[in-house]
């Protein structure tokens, strides 16, 4: 039975930092971010103990589809989606 991705623990060349959010793990580089959408689920600001298999993949692919489809209308931060769970993008200042 598939257990789902609860956390990542990567170490990349040139990585400057790491941030673990409620459902995403963010790897920080000088000019970009690598965001991994995990299968963790958050409800009412609580991360539940059991992940939902493929949740991160589905949400990441939905977001990627619409960010790509609207990039010519409104530029966004995404530069690549090299894996169904991963989005690479520009570091932006809000």
């Amino acid at each position: 039975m598939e257990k789902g991705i609860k956390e990542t623990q990567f170490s990349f060349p040139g990585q400057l930092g790491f941030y673990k959010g409620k459902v995403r793990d963010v790897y920080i580089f000088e000019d970009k971010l690598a965001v991994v959408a995990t299968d963790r689920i958050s409800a009412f600001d609580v991360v539940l103990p059991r992940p939902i298999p493929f949740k991160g993949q589905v949400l990441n692919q939905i977001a990627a589809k619409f960010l790509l489809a609207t990039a010519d209308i409104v530029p966004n931060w995404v530069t690549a989606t090299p894996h169904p769970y991963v989005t690479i993008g520009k570091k932006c200042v809000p």
Side-chain angles (χ1 to χ4, degrees), residues 31-81:
D31 61 343
K32 64 184 138 214
L33 302 173
V35 180
V36 180
T38 69
D39 296 327
R40 294 190 299 260
I41 185 162
S42 171
F44 304 104
D45 288 332
V46 174
V47 177
L48 301 177
R50 290 178 37 201
I52 296 175
F54 305 106
K55 177 188 117 350
Q57 176 180 334
V58 170
L59 293 179
N60 193 58
Q61 288 179 311
I62 289 170
K65 176 182 175 59
F66 286 100
L67 286 166
L68 178 63
T70 59
D72 61 327
I73 302 167
V74 179
N76 60 60
W77 70 284
V78 176
T79 58
T81 50

